[in-house]
Amino acid sequence: MTAYENRYWWSADGLRLHYRDYPGDAARTPLLCLPGLTRNARDYHALAAAQAGERRVIAVDFRGRGESAYAKDPMTYAPLTYVQDVEALLDELAVERFAAVGTSLGGIVTMLLAGTSAHRLAGALLNDVGPEIEAAGLSRIRGYVGRGSAYPTWMHAARAVAEAQGEVYPDWGVEDWLQMAKRLHRLNSAGRIVLDYDMKIAEPFRVPGNEAGPDMWRALEGLRGVPVLVVRGERSDVLGAGTAARMAAELGDAELATVPGVGHAPTLSEPALEAPIRRWLARVG
């Protein structure tokens, strides 16, 4: 089993936030892993395991997710606040250079970090997200985020996840869905299995425009000159094929990798991504 330490830092507004710290070669640029809207650091365990101690991996729980504290003001569940939280962590750890891996919301935060922390950013992997979000994907996400459910067993939770996301991962089996359920949920004090995030993260997300930030194409420009891997699920309803192609073209030093048969978002463990991720890491150095 891949070893890691659970560690914590404090936000500017007094929240105790959590990250997983997987050890690796201090001479190599560490990976800073930023999860999606309703997701957490557990999503990146397989990616960290693939590094096998060769590269440090810092996997963050954004405020309101996983082991991080819930915000007192739900309107702070916004990308610019997450950027401030991450910058506080980088300052505390004295990280001079890092490569970001951002899935969905984490990719938006990565693009914003390219503007505020460009001197630190050595590369970026943008997983199924870009400066423009497809209307169908936004509508689908707004339809489920913040709607809690409780299940008596992990198998019940897995079946519910499979029903909701079967079109995203059409080739998955029972074990895949069980693993996904355990990444998404936690056991509460009443012995029920519930989603592992603050339901109030939905409040600002439902306000049009709050799902991203300012001009995200301009934010993307901050990634010019560093190695970028743009990952897109072939069936994605969040990152359109045209947007992904434009991203790769405008950045110049970017590779576009499409995962066949997968929607939003790839897990980054797909065989089709092994070679592209390996090439990207080699370029990061």
Side-chain angles (χ1 to χ4, degrees), residues 31-276:
L31 300 183
L32 177 70
C33 296
L34 306 172
L37 178 68
T38 63
R39 313 300 288 266
N40 55 67
R42 296 193 291 275
D43 270 352
Y44 289 107
H45 186 73
L47 181 66
Q51 295 305 302
E54 294 182 2
R55 190 183 298 267
R56 183 183 188 185
V57 175
I58 301 164
V60 169
D61 281 336
F62 287 135
R63 59 175 57 205
R65 286 83 162 174
E67 295 185 46
S68 285
Y70 289 10
K72 300 177 182 68
D73 176 6
M75 296 310 291
T76 65
Y77 290 133
L80 291 175
T81 306
Y82 304 138
V83 168
Q84 293 170 358
D85 291 346
V86 170
E87 288 180 326
L89 172 61
L90 294 171
D91 289 341
E92 181 170 316
L93 296 179
V95 172
E96 295 182 0
R97 295 282 283 174
F98 69 93
V101 180
T103 295
S104 197
L105 169 63
I108 291 172
V109 173
T110 296
M111 287 184 276
L112 294 173
L113 282 168
T116 61
S117 297
H119 61 291
R120 288 171 160 166
L121 197 57
L125 190 163
L126 301 176
N127 184 18
D128 215 58
V129 70
E132 295 178 17
I133 301 174
E134 297 294 297
L138 270 180
S139 177
R140 178 179 59 81
I141 293 168
R142 286 193 174 118
Y144 73 74
V145 65
R147 298 187 177 182
S149 301
Y151 306 100
T153 70
W154 285 110
M155 185 57 73
H156 284 86
R159 287 173 180 162
V161 175
E163 288 175 5
Q165 300 194 36
E167 293 185 1
V168 177
Y169 310 106
D171 297 330
W172 277 17
V174 173
E175 286 301 318
D176 298 305
W177 293 116
L178 274 171
Q179 290 177 24
M180 173 68 84
K182 290 179 180 180
R183 291 197 296 271
L184 285 170
H185 297 79
R186 62 179 172 83
L187 193 64
N188 70 9
S189 58
R192 302 282 286 181
I193 295 163
V194 297
L195 288 166
D196 198 8
Y197 67 87
D198 183 359
M199 296 298 112
K200 292 182 180 179
I201 67 169
E203 294 186 20
F205 185 77
R206 287 177 177 149
V207 178
N210 274 6
E211 66 277 353
D215 183 349
M216 295 305 296
W217 282 107
R218 184 174 180 181
L220 184 73
E221 291 178 4
L223 294 175
R224 286 180 180 168
V226 300
V228 176
L229 174 60
V230 178
V231 172
R232 179 178 182 269
E234 182 184 37
R235 302 162 62 99
S236 177
D237 61 356
V238 170
L239 178 59
T243 300
R246 180 183 168 188
M247 290 166 67
E250 292 203 3
L251 288 172
D253 193 23
E255 178 179 357
L256 172 59
T258 300
V259 183
V262 170
H264 180 79
T267 65
L268 303 181
S269 299
E270 291 87 357
L273 291 177
E274 289 180 9

